[in-house]
Amino acid sequence: MEQTNLRIYNTLSRKKEIFEPLNPPYVGMYLCGPTVYGDAHLGNARAAISFDILYRYLLHLGYKVRYVRNITDVGHLEQDADEGEDKIAKKAKLEKLEPMEVVQHYTSAYHKVMDKLNVKSPSIEPHASAHIPEQIEMIEEILKNGLAYIENGSVYFDVEKYSKDNNYGILSGRVIDDLRAGTRELDGQKEKRSSLDFALWKKASPEHIMRWNSPWSAGFPGWHLECSAMSSKYLGKQFDIHGGGMDLMFPHHECEIAQAKASNQTDPAKYWMHNNMITLNGQKMSKSLGNSVTMDQLFNGDHPVLQKAFSPMTVRFFILQAHYRSTLDFSNEAIIASGKGYKKILNGLKIIKSLSYSSSPGAGIDEKLNSEILGLCKDCYKAMDDDLNTAVLIATLFNLLKKINLLYSKTLDVSQMSESVFEEMKSTFILFTEDILGLVEENNVKAANLVDALLDFYKEAKDLKQYDKVDKIRTYFKQEGLVIKDLKTGIDWSYEE
């Protein structure tokens, strides 16, 4: 494995900690995936991209990673509580479909979005509905340990009893006395002993169409239970990293910790990581406010708040320009700037791949330049080791890009640096752009011979002073998002920034 001092912010301890896997070189990580009842939105994308970066970096460091990202397809009720209609069942009724048709449709759509964003597939992607036996088994264990109770065919976790020996609120920092004082009994929740208690199993009402048999009733599992059951099945009773959006910290992840300790007598994860929210012009994104933007709307430009469509890599770059734990504010101006930044990086990638080292007779090595470039290469690792700080990493890549552009324009002679330093700069820029940040070319300029032929026609027309043809060829390139560059060293093309 690469030598590293990777520090990650552990929500549980509220500080950055040196990453030390439970069983090196193996790492188990779990991400709370989407509830598949609607189109993927920016919040889904930020969570997936944030943990894709972690996955990519751990693999680069040489760890063997089992990455589990679940699909919630049952038990997620409308109010994210213990009452209301199942979100997928409601969608199925509205569209006159079987619930699993809804699940299949939106799961496939989610995967297409992830592919466009170049998010790596997880090692395992379990569905909650396919793990009902494991969830029933976990409930039975919690009941056996006296930390749950049965009421009218439903099973509830006893938060008050659990809190006598455990800290319910350890992750979010909430105090149970404050939680108790801030809650009230709600209609339909009278069967709970306390309003703090949460459902492990709900008896299905006659109209509820998603139900399974259990020792207690025909019903369905609580939303919080699925992740506990599936993470312990595939990663063990305790694993390395559990992640998700900050909105899941309470109550979802808090309940997961309680369930795991009540059934497995251990904290489920050593490190808890949470990405922050995305706002729109300073306001929280939500469907109720009408300012939520789906990924397809972003890609098509089909939303009132959007000035135009934005490409998947532009969106990925926009998300990566902020640290995953910071609030990210979406605006047309911000994402347009991200598009320009992405194209600059992509142009740098094209240039550095085309450059090769050559020494000039009698040229002296500039040790200060060597040292500066090696320092920037090390800074790329420092940025990632500092809690996956992609914002600082991108800034460092832009500093490397300045040197690359100087080499490209011949303002800087490559022989001023040693060959080993040049190769280090080249491999570092490519590695962190493509493999770690996951930025790829999406203009599909693969017909290299055709592009070269057009450039030959351009040069010929320019030499013959046929400026109408020169302008026409430039227009063709511009329509494809490309520009022709007349350099001292010849003619080349780049992505339009």
Side-chain angles (χ1 to χ4, degrees), residues 3 6 94 104 106 141 145 155 310 329 362 401 467 473 490 493 495-496:
Q3 289 296 313
L6 172 61
L94 288 172
Q104 184 62 40
Y106 287 111
E141 191 66 23
N145 293 332
V155 184
F310 298 97
D329 190 52
L401 182 56
Y467 296 118
I473 295 171
W493 65 271
Y495 293 95
E496 186 176 23

Side-chain angles (χ1 to χ4, degrees), residues 11 46 125:
T11 309
R46 189 175 198 192
E125 191 174 57

Side-chain angles (χ1 to χ4, degrees), residues 60-280:
H60 167 65
L61 295 176
Y63 291 106
K64 298 180 184 298
V65 184
R66 178 176 289 177
Y67 177 20
V68 181
R69 185 184 69 202
N70 74 295
I71 296 290
T72 296
D73 59 359
V74 65
H76 198 164
L77 306 185
E78 283 184 273
Q79 281 77 42
D80 294 346
D82 293 332
E83 299 300 326
E85 195 169 3
D86 185 291
K87 293 181 179 182
I88 290 168
K90 181 179 181 181
K91 191 82 172 181
K93 287 179 183 177
L94 288 172
E95 300 185 10
K96 294 182 171 55
L97 298 170
E98 282 292 323
M100 288 304 140
E101 285 184 278
V102 174
V103 169
Q104 184 62 40
H105 172 78
Y106 287 111
T107 301
S108 297
Y110 176 78
H111 287 156
K112 288 176 183 176
V113 168
M114 293 300 105
D115 288 343
K116 288 178 181 178
L117 292 171
N118 197 29
V119 170
K120 284 181 174 290
S121 298
S123 314
I124 303 171
E125 191 174 57
H127 287 234
S129 62
H131 293 78
I132 302 298
E134 289 85 354
Q135 294 177 73
I136 290 174
E137 184 180 342
M138 181 168 270
I139 295 170
E140 289 176 329
E141 191 66 23
I142 295 172
L143 281 166
K144 187 178 78 174
N145 293 332
L147 290 170
Y149 56 92
I150 305 166
E151 287 288 346
N152 301 322
S154 293
V155 184
Y156 295 98
F157 190 92
D158 194 329
V159 173
E160 298 273 3
K161 192 172 182 181
Y162 169 82
S163 296
K164 289 178 181 177
D165 299 311
N166 300 278
N167 182 2
Y168 182 76
I170 188 171
L171 187 65
S172 60
R174 306 203 182 194
V175 179
I176 192 164
D177 289 339
D178 295 339
L179 289 170
R180 192 187 296 112
T183 58
R184 57 187 177 87
E185 291 298 334
L186 302 174
D187 292 340
Q189 294 188 352
K190 304 254 180 182
E191 61 188 20
K192 292 183 182 183
R193 294 178 185 174
S194 166
S195 56
L196 293 177
D197 297 347
F198 56 90
L200 299 173
W201 186 267
K202 286 289 291 182
K203 181 180 179 180
S205 59
E207 65 273 12
H208 199 98
I209 58 178
M210 298 179 76
R211 61 177 67 211
W212 291 264
N213 292 324
S214 78
W216 316 287
S217 65
F220 54 94
W223 170 41
H224 309 307
L225 188 68
E226 62 174 282
C227 290
S228 296
M230 292 188 290
S231 63
S232 60
K233 173 168 182 168
Y234 295 110
L235 298 173
K237 292 182 178 181
Q238 188 176 49
F239 52 95
D240 295 295
I241 301 168
H242 195 313
M246 196 170 285
D247 57 325
L248 297 178
M249 191 188 306
F250 186 89
H252 186 51
H253 289 164
E254 205 74 78
C255 293
E256 279 193 61
I257 292 175
Q259 289 165 164
K261 293 193 79 171
S263 59
N264 299 328
Q265 285 74 53
T266 184
D267 288 312
K270 185 176 179 182
Y271 303 91
W272 287 82
M273 300 178 68
H274 294 89
N275 64 279
N276 214 323
M277 301 297 99
I278 296 181
T279 57
L280 176 64

Side-chain angles (χ1 to χ4, degrees), residues 9 11 23 39 45 56 115 175 187 198 261 277 308 365 425 436 443 448 464 486:
Y9 183 86
T11 309
N23 299 294
D39 292 321
R56 287 169 176 272
D115 288 343
V175 179
D187 292 340
F198 56 90
K261 293 193 79 171
M277 301 297 99
K308 63 173 188 173
I365 299 297
M425 177 182 70
I436 307 300
N443 235 21
L464 294 172
D486 293 294

Side-chain angles (χ1 to χ4, degrees), residues 357-370:
Y357 186 82
S358 61
S359 58
S360 299
I365 299 297
D366 186 337
E367 294 299 342
K368 184 179 178 182
L369 176 64
N370 271 355

